[in-house]
Every structure is written in structure tokens, then in C-alpha cells.
Amino acid sequence: MFIALEDEHMEVSGRLVGREVDCYILNVPEGEYLATIEMHSDKPATLEHLVNGKALVSDSGSGASVDYLHLLAGHHVFSVRGEDAEYKLRALLTPVPDEFFEEEPNYDLGHSKLLTFSRPYRGIISKARDEDWFRFRLAARREIRIAATPPRGAGLRLQVQRRGIRMF
């Protein structure tokens, strides 16, 4: 099943019969976008962003979402997995603000973005359990300052690791 892009917003309804997986292809136009894909269902189900047949990121529940994926032009596959459920799948695309904005997925060291020290980076924590990982390299010993500023009323924890060992 294909989802056609219209006005940077699309929605489709579906039904899982028995234990089933429905797959959708999102055709992203030229450019770079931050995508939020939401799935609302009458029973718990799993929403996945598939790359080469494997789930790169996923979320489960009656209201699941994959937030702020950095998508380039082309076809991107999403699936809804569950049992005997009716659901709505909604996609919203917004242009990437600039190169200093975080890119999803970045939930572990293997998916982290390499930072340069030229200017601050910005990002979004979309859920209470969201983690954003970044990495940097130093050519020589030097003093650096790392800071993270949460929005008003929000909590944030900053952690620095070196070769897998927590520094602070």
C-alpha cells in the first residue's frame, strides 16, 4: 500500500485481521525533512520504521509514534504490526531547520551524530524515555565545555562517556 504525499501531511486508515503486519511506503520529495509518524489504534500495536527489512526504530501501544526522523528524498517503509486492530496512520513532514539540528535515530552510540565545535546543536526530546546521543573527537588534549539546556519546566540529564566508561 502506498501513501501519497499531499500538503506535507498524510493519513490512512487500516485494519489488522488476525496477527498481521501492514506495510506502507512514504514517498519523500526532494529535500531533507523531519518526519513524525503516528499510529492510533483501538488495541495495542507496534509502529516500525523499516530499513532493509529490519526495524530501525519502533514504538508500541494504542498511541505509538516515531518522532523527528531525518528523512531524505526517496521511499521509506513503515509497518503496523498487531492483532485484530483498527488503526489510523498519520505522517507529518517538516523541512530540516539546519545542519546543526539533531538527526533521528540517535538513540545509542552506533546511531549518534558526530559533532564539530563550530556552534551549538539543537534537538528535541519527544518522549519521557527519549535519548539523544552525540559524539565528538579531540585531536589533542584540550579543555572543552559541554552543556545542555532544557526548555522551561522540563528535566534533562547529561552524561559523558569515554570508551564506554561514564565520565560524569
Side-chain angles (χ1 to χ4, degrees):
M1 187 175 289
F2 291 85
I3 301 175
L5 180 67
E6 295 176 16
D7 299 325
E8 299 175 346
H9 170 216
M10 61 233 65
E11 184 173 292
V12 65
S13 297
R15 181 178 192 169
L16 300 170
V17 179
R19 188 169 286 204
E20 187 176 30
V21 178
D22 288 351
C23 293
Y24 296 89
I25 295 175
L26 174 63
N27 187 22
V28 175
E30 288 299 317
E32 297 182 45
Y33 297 87
L34 293 177
T36 296
I37 313 299
E38 300 174 339
M39 185 269 308
H40 299 278
S41 62
D42 62 346
K43 295 182 182 176
T46 300
L47 171 64
E48 299 174 320
H49 176 217
L50 303 174
V51 176
N52 296 326
K54 294 185 180 182
L56 187 61
V57 291
S58 66
D59 192 24
S60 297
S62 294
S65 65
V66 177
D67 302 308
Y68 303 105
L69 288 171
H70 183 198
L71 299 181
L72 301 176
H75 298 314
H76 298 273
V77 180
F78 294 87
S79 70
V80 177
R81 178 186 313 273
E83 187 173 348
D84 295 321
E86 292 188 21
Y87 64 87
K88 284 192 177 183
L89 187 65
R90 179 177 175 230
L92 178 63
L93 297 178
T94 55
V96 171
D98 58 48
E99 65 182 287
F100 297 98
F101 197 83
E102 68 153 317
E103 298 175 10
E104 295 286 351
N106 61 349
Y107 54 84
D108 63 16
L109 185 59
H111 292 92
S112 61
K113 180 173 183 165
L114 182 61
L115 301 179
T116 60
F117 292 106
S118 58
R119 65 182 267 193
Y121 284 79
R122 295 175 294 122
I124 296 173
I125 300 293
S126 57
K127 300 176 188 168
R129 65 182 187 271
D130 188 17
E131 291 184 16
D132 289 340
W133 286 62
F134 300 91
R135 60 190 160 87
F136 58 89
R137 296 190 195 322
L138 298 175
R141 291 186 78 123
R142 67 185 247 202
E143 187 174 307
I144 61 169
R145 185 178 134 195
I146 300 171
T149 307
R152 181 178 292 164
L156 191 64
R157 185 180 76 181
L158 177 66
Q159 185 180 78
V160 176
Q161 295 184 12
R162 182 172 187 240
R163 296 187 178 133
I165 299 172
R166 184 176 171 182
M167 303 303 286
F168 71 88

